[in-house]
PDB file of all heavy atoms in Angstrom:
ATOM      1  N   SER A  24     -11.316 -12.991 -38.808  1.00 97.00           N
ATOM      2  CA  SER A  24     -11.645 -12.247 -37.493  1.00 97.00           C
ATOM      3  C   SER A  24     -12.808 -12.806 -36.705  1.00 97.00           C
ATOM      4  O   SER A  24     -12.842 -12.833 -35.539  1.00 97.00           O
ATOM      5  CB  SER A  24     -11.818 -10.781 -37.880  1.00 97.00           C
ATOM      6  OG  SER A  24     -10.634 -10.162 -38.446  1.00 97.00           O
ATOM      7  N   GLY A  41     -21.734 -10.536 -55.629  1.00 94.00           N
ATOM      8  CA  GLY A  41     -20.622 -10.083 -56.493  1.00 94.00           C
ATOM      9  C   GLY A  41     -20.579 -10.803 -57.852  1.00 94.00           C
ATOM     10  O   GLY A  41     -21.286 -11.907 -58.091  1.00 94.00           O
ATOM     11  N   SER A  77     -31.834 -14.522 -42.710  1.00 98.00           N
ATOM     12  CA  SER A  77     -31.165 -15.896 -42.622  1.00 98.00           C
ATOM     13  C   SER A  77     -30.626 -15.954 -41.219  1.00 98.00           C
ATOM     14  O   SER A  77     -30.747 -17.023 -40.526  1.00 98.00           O
ATOM     15  CB  SER A  77     -30.093 -15.985 -43.640  1.00 98.00           C
ATOM     16  OG  SER A  77     -29.420 -17.117 -43.477  1.00 98.00           O
ATOM     17  N   ALA A  78     -29.962 -14.955 -40.693  1.00 98.00           N
ATOM     18  CA  ALA A  78     -29.390 -14.977 -39.346  1.00 98.00           C
ATOM     19  C   ALA A  78     -30.527 -15.057 -38.334  1.00 98.00           C
ATOM     20  O   ALA A  78     -30.363 -15.991 -37.321  1.00 98.00           O
ATOM     21  CB  ALA A  78     -28.585 -13.691 -39.080  1.00 98.00           C
ATOM     22  N   TRP A  85     -29.106 -12.652 -30.886  1.00 98.00           N
ATOM     23  CA  TRP A  85     -28.482 -11.422 -31.295  1.00 98.00           C
ATOM     24  C   TRP A  85     -28.098 -11.475 -32.787  1.00 98.00           C
ATOM     25  O   TRP A  85     -27.609 -12.613 -33.267  1.00 98.00           O
ATOM     26  CB  TRP A  85     -27.249 -10.927 -30.467  1.00 98.00           C
ATOM     27  CG  TRP A  85     -27.606 -10.603 -29.146  1.00 98.00           C
ATOM     28  CD1 TRP A  85     -27.745 -11.411 -28.044  1.00 98.00           C
ATOM     29  CD2 TRP A  85     -27.891  -9.210 -28.663  1.00 98.00           C
ATOM     30  NE1 TRP A  85     -27.930 -10.712 -26.939  1.00 98.00           N
ATOM     31  CE2 TRP A  85     -28.105  -9.375 -27.164  1.00 98.00           C
ATOM     32  CE3 TRP A  85     -27.875  -8.049 -29.159  1.00 98.00           C
ATOM     33  CZ2 TRP A  85     -28.395  -8.432 -26.372  1.00 98.00           C
ATOM     34  CZ3 TRP A  85     -28.161  -6.896 -28.341  1.00 98.00           C
ATOM     35  CH2 TRP A  85     -28.446  -7.034 -26.972  1.00 98.00           C
ATOM     36  N   LEU A 135     -18.707  16.631 -31.153  1.00 87.00           N
ATOM     37  CA  LEU A 135     -18.495  16.903 -29.777  1.00 87.00           C
ATOM     38  C   LEU A 135     -18.495  18.371 -29.468  1.00 87.00           C
ATOM     39  O   LEU A 135     -17.681  19.104 -30.221  1.00 87.00           O
ATOM     40  CB  LEU A 135     -17.171  16.292 -29.279  1.00 87.00           C
ATOM     41  CG  LEU A 135     -17.207  14.771 -29.380  1.00 87.00           C
ATOM     42  CD1 LEU A 135     -15.795  14.396 -28.833  1.00 87.00           C
ATOM     43  CD2 LEU A 135     -18.361  14.053 -28.687  1.00 87.00           C
ATOM     44  N   GLU A 185     -28.907   3.113 -43.616  1.00 97.00           N
ATOM     45  CA  GLU A 185     -28.447   3.031 -42.162  1.00 97.00           C
ATOM     46  C   GLU A 185     -29.131   4.236 -41.304  1.00 97.00           C
ATOM     47  O   GLU A 185     -29.410   4.091 -40.167  1.00 97.00           O
ATOM     48  CB  GLU A 185     -27.045   3.074 -42.069  1.00 97.00           C
ATOM     49  CG  GLU A 185     -26.235   4.388 -42.439  1.00 97.00           C
ATOM     50  CD  GLU A 185     -26.197   4.718 -43.862  1.00 97.00           C
ATOM     51  OE1 GLU A 185     -26.592   3.850 -44.720  1.00 97.00           O
ATOM     52  OE2 GLU A 185     -25.907   5.851 -44.307  1.00 97.00           O
ATOM     53  N   GLY A 196     -38.572   3.853 -29.914  1.00 97.00           N
ATOM     54  CA  GLY A 196     -38.195   3.880 -28.439  1.00 97.00           C
ATOM     55  C   GLY A 196     -37.218   2.745 -28.183  1.00 97.00           C
ATOM     56  O   GLY A 196     -37.011   2.361 -27.013  1.00 97.00           O
ATOM     57  N   HIS A 209     -12.630  -0.148 -40.583  1.00 97.00           N
ATOM     58  CA  HIS A 209     -13.417  -0.144 -41.795  1.00 97.00           C
ATOM     59  C   HIS A 209     -12.844   1.183 -42.488  1.00 97.00           C
ATOM     60  O   HIS A 209     -12.470   2.095 -42.016  1.00 97.00           O
ATOM     61  CB  HIS A 209     -14.831   0.157 -41.540  1.00 97.00           C
ATOM     62  CG  HIS A 209     -15.776   0.280 -42.649  1.00 97.00           C
ATOM     63  ND1 HIS A 209     -15.842   1.444 -43.391  1.00 97.00           N
ATOM     64  CD2 HIS A 209     -16.754  -0.563 -43.352  1.00 97.00           C
ATOM     65  CE1 HIS A 209     -16.757   1.328 -44.411  1.00 97.00           C
ATOM     66  NE2 HIS A 209     -17.102   0.162 -44.352  1.00 97.00           N
ATOM     67  N   ALA A 214     -12.631  11.650 -47.144  1.00 90.00           N
ATOM     68  CA  ALA A 214     -12.595  12.538 -48.386  1.00 90.00           C
ATOM     69  C   ALA A 214     -13.930  13.032 -48.782  1.00 90.00           C
ATOM     70  O   ALA A 214     -14.203  14.046 -49.501  1.00 90.00           O
ATOM     71  CB  ALA A 214     -12.028  11.687 -49.529  1.00 90.00           C
ATOM     72  N   PRO A 218     -15.924  20.697 -45.851  1.00 89.00           N
ATOM     73  CA  PRO A 218     -16.331  21.917 -44.925  1.00 89.00           C
ATOM     74  C   PRO A 218     -16.616  23.077 -45.665  1.00 89.00           C
ATOM     75  O   PRO A 218     -16.017  23.472 -46.641  1.00 89.00           O
ATOM     76  CB  PRO A 218     -14.940  21.992 -44.144  1.00 89.00           C
ATOM     77  CG  PRO A 218     -13.819  21.465 -45.073  1.00 89.00           C
ATOM     78  CD  PRO A 218     -14.399  20.343 -45.883  1.00 89.00           C
ATOM     79  N   ARG A 240     -30.184  11.274 -53.399  1.00 98.00           N
ATOM     80  CA  ARG A 240     -31.631  10.845 -53.569  1.00 98.00           C
ATOM     81  C   ARG A 240     -32.126  10.364 -52.225  1.00 98.00           C
ATOM     82  O   ARG A 240     -33.314  10.792 -51.831  1.00 98.00           O
ATOM     83  CB  ARG A 240     -31.770   9.746 -54.620  1.00 98.00           C
ATOM     84  CG  ARG A 240     -33.313   9.498 -54.918  1.00 98.00           C
ATOM     85  CD  ARG A 240     -33.584   8.077 -55.476  1.00 98.00           C
ATOM     86  NE  ARG A 240     -33.104   7.063 -54.616  1.00 98.00           N
ATOM     87  CZ  ARG A 240     -33.419   5.711 -54.824  1.00 98.00           C
ATOM     88  NH1 ARG A 240     -33.909   5.351 -55.968  1.00 98.00           N
ATOM     89  NH2 ARG A 240     -33.108   4.848 -53.906  1.00 98.00           N
ATOM     90  N   TYR A 262     -25.230  22.656 -49.970  1.00 97.00           N
ATOM     91  CA  TYR A 262     -24.834  22.155 -51.344  1.00 97.00           C
ATOM     92  C   TYR A 262     -24.734  23.221 -52.259  1.00 97.00           C
ATOM     93  O   TYR A 262     -23.773  23.246 -53.163  1.00 97.00           O
ATOM     94  CB  TYR A 262     -25.798  21.084 -51.742  1.00 97.00           C
ATOM     95  CG  TYR A 262     -25.492  19.703 -51.063  1.00 97.00           C
ATOM     96  CD1 TYR A 262     -26.201  19.280 -49.899  1.00 97.00           C
ATOM     97  CD2 TYR A 262     -24.467  18.950 -51.540  1.00 97.00           C
ATOM     98  CE1 TYR A 262     -25.864  18.130 -49.336  1.00 97.00           C
ATOM     99  CE2 TYR A 262     -24.105  17.747 -50.860  1.00 97.00           C
ATOM    100  CZ  TYR A 262     -24.767  17.358 -49.813  1.00 97.00           C
ATOM    101  OH  TYR A 262     -24.490  16.190 -49.153  1.00 97.00           O
ATOM    102  N   THR A 269     -16.849  25.363 -55.729  1.00 96.00           N
ATOM    103  CA  THR A 269     -16.057  24.423 -56.556  1.00 96.00           C
ATOM    104  C   THR A 269     -16.291  24.682 -58.039  1.00 96.00           C
ATOM    105  O   THR A 269     -15.826  24.058 -58.928  1.00 96.00           O
ATOM    106  CB  THR A 269     -16.464  22.952 -56.407  1.00 96.00           C
ATOM    107  OG1 THR A 269     -17.887  22.697 -56.367  1.00 96.00           O
ATOM    108  CG2 THR A 269     -16.014  22.549 -54.828  1.00 96.00           C
ATOM    109  N   THR A 283     -34.473  16.097 -55.262  1.00 97.00           N
ATOM    110  CA  THR A 283     -35.968  16.271 -55.522  1.00 97.00           C
ATOM    111  C   THR A 283     -36.552  15.016 -55.952  1.00 97.00           C
ATOM    112  O   THR A 283     -37.609  14.762 -55.692  1.00 97.00           O
ATOM    113  CB  THR A 283     -36.080  17.311 -56.488  1.00 97.00           C
ATOM    114  OG1 THR A 283     -35.460  17.068 -57.811  1.00 97.00           O
ATOM    115  CG2 THR A 283     -35.649  18.669 -56.031  1.00 97.00           C
TER     116      THR A 283
END
Side-chain angles (χ1 to χ4, degrees):
S24 296
S77 178
W85 294 83
L135 301 179
E185 70 286 350
H209 182 279
R240 187 201 66 174
Y262 280 100
T269 56
T283 55

